Amino acid sequence: MTNIAVVGTGYVGLVTGVALSEIGHKVTCIDIDQAKVERMRRGESPIYEPGLDELMTKNIQAGRLFFTANHAEGFTDKDVVYIAVGTPEKEDGTADLRFINQVAKDIATNVKQDVVVVTKSTVPVGTNDHILSVIKEHLVHNVDVQMVSNPEFLREGSAIDDAFHGDRIVIGADAGYAGDMIEDVNEAFGIPVYRTDVRSAEMIKYASNAFLATKISFVNEIANICEKTGANIEDVASGMGMDGRIGHQFLRAGIGYGGSCFPKDTKALAQIAANHDHSFELLEAVIRVNNEQHRSLTNKAKEAFGSLKGRRIALLGLAFKPNTDDMRESPAIAISQELLLAGAEVVAYDPIATENAKRVMPEGVTYVSTAEEALRGADAAFIVTDWSEIKSLELRAYEQYLKEPYVFDGRNCYSLEDVASTSLNYYSVGRKAVVNGKLVETV
Ligand SMILES: NC(=O)C1=CN([C@@H]2O[C@H](COP(=O)(O)OP(=O)(O)OC[C@H]3O[C@@H](n4cnc5c(N)ncnc54)[C@H](O)[C@@H]3O)[C@@H](O)[C@H]2O)C=CC1
Ligand SMILES: O=C(O)[C@H]1O[C@H](OP(=O)(O)OP(=O)(O)OC[C@H]2O[C@@H](n3ccc(=O)[nH]c3=O)[C@H](O)[C@@H]2O)[C@H](O)[C@@H](O)[C@@H]1O
């Protein structure tokens, strides 16, 4: 059992803290947001993440999981401090290290014993060295501080499962005892550990996210060409994925990736390259393709309707992916902006993310509390997020509620054969359209 503090209780920090307490460590989670801390003390997760509340409550009751807004209290007697604060994007695309720098100072001024500092946050190559120098510069007590880079690979919506069944745990440490100590801390997860130096660990995180984003932009480009050639992206992706060297994962064509990480991490890596006089052409193209892909549904609707002026569009799903309330960089934002700009009226529904959506979506969007309400009287439906509730909506519902039978499906939720037996006009991604019960090429 190790005494651990986790600084920052967002998607990563809270899941990390809960998972470490579940395998037997004594964990104190620290956040500057007092209201969040109070909710967590009651066993309520401030974020929507399946399975998290239950596991939190269990470990609070077992006396292994604590929450505080006071850094000095949180760091008392801790051997390990995890940093899990945000590293958002600055205007120029680089990572904003404001929160990281603050935590480094918080650690320096409050720790009274030797400590291993573990960076979970995604940070540019060289940042761990920078964190150590900030800590040393502000250190109040004469203690030893060692750094470990331990990037996080969990996905929102399946974060608990990922924490216990991830593919690897990357531990980046230079000389000293710290790497072995963090390997011991993680032993009970039973996940393969990959040891490397600090800078390689930092790069593994960006390279992994950039590679996954590349797969998505690649498959979206293939989908765009499928639409022009009459091929079917679902069949193409399945056939590609059967090659073990390619694999089936991250070949789902759609409306482009969103979320709190792929958009910011791809830009940050391109900037890291640029800072070292390297132009990362491939990654720049991945980003451009993704931005363009956000427009694909609206472009199809413009083509089908001629003009979207005065058209009422039902947006089904707002979160950047299912099973999360996270709206950061959700394609729903860009899609709504495009629709409003084209003079359309936007009525939106999401099973979970509506409150967060209201904070980041453009002004002028109307929110309703069921899919049916969104569809009723609309000229077209846009399927934006493939929540199971939305995927399982009967095709009959669109026929029944829509004023005009137009569905623009950004997630390929329905089979073309099923749609062909309805009265719907259906446009999806990388597949033929269905118009008047017939499969037709879109160009
Ligand atoms: N969200 C995700 O799925 C993943 C995120 N990451 C990385 O993990 C890091 C954290 O991401 P999220 O959990 O999404 O962030 P988040 O923005 O959801 O949460 C960050 C939390 O840190 C708190 N905080 C800020 N400064 C603090 C301080 N000085 N002391 C204590 N608490 C402080 C904030 O109040 C907030 O609750 C980022 O670098 C991100 O790139 C990595 C893998 C997955
Ligand atoms: O660094 C991070 O924050 C995390 O970023 C992603 O996780 P996440 O953003 O939660 O979700 P993903 O499932 O990767 O989806 C990201 C976006 O790509 C889209 N996507 C994903 C897969 C696919 O085949 N097609 C596709 O369009 C999703 O709809 C979503 O908008 C990575 O998968 C995690 O390994 C990583 O830890």
Side-chain angles (χ1 to χ4, degrees), residues 258-315:
S260 65
C261 290
F262 284 176
K264 85 169 167 67
D265 291 347
T266 45
K267 283 182 233 164
L269 181 53
Q271 274 302 325
I272 292 168
N275 292 344
H276 291 84
D277 295 325
H278 185 93
S279 171
F280 197 156
E281 302 288 339
L282 179 60
L283 192 56
E284 301 280 6
V286 165
I287 296 166
R288 274 198 311 276
V289 165
N290 194 58
N291 291 338
E292 201 48 47
Q293 197 67 15
H294 288 340
R295 283 194 266 275
S296 59
L297 276 196
T298 312
N299 287 342
K300 283 174 187 152
K302 281 179 181 165
E303 222 161 274
F305 284 114
S307 161
L308 294 178
K309 201 159 189 334
R311 296 281 183 181
R312 181 170 165 161
I313 310 292
L315 282 198

Side-chain angles (χ1 to χ4, degrees), residues 7-13 30-33 36 71 84-87 99 102-103 106 120-122 152-156 205 260-261 264-265 328:
V7 190
T9 59
Y11 292 84
V12 167
I30 307 169
D31 205 289
I32 43 173
D33 185 334
K36 247 187 197 181
H71 290 83
V85 293
T87 47
F99 302 110
Q102 183 55 48
V103 177
D106 291 338
K120 272 255 160 223
S121 301
T122 302
E152 179 55 60
F153 301 100
L154 64 77
R155 291 161 299 174
E156 292 180 21
K205 175 63 196 175
S260 65
C261 290
K264 85 169 167 67
D265 291 347
R328 287 179 283 185

Side-chain angles (χ1 to χ4, degrees), residues 308 310-318 332 335-337 339-340 343-351 354 357-358 361-385 390 398 401-403 408:
L308 294 178
R311 296 281 183 181
R312 181 170 165 161
I313 310 292
L315 282 198
L316 300 186
L318 298 172
I335 290 172
S336 310
Q337 278 161 348
L339 286 172
L340 293 168
E345 189 190 334
V346 180
V347 183
Y349 166 69
D350 189 279
T354 304
K358 285 178 184 169
M361 291 275 281
E363 291 265 318
V365 173
T366 309
Y367 301 89
V368 291
S369 46
T370 63
E372 286 77 6
E373 267 181 87
L375 293 176
R376 198 171 288 133
D379 292 299
F382 271 37
I383 300 176
V384 175
T385 316
I390 290 169
Y398 298 97
Y401 297 115
L402 285 172
K403 194 161 79 187
F408 298 88

Side-chain angles (χ1 to χ4, degrees), residues 228-239:
K228 294 180 194 286
T229 55
N232 180 316
I233 190 61
E234 301 295 319
D235 294 343
V236 172
S238 297

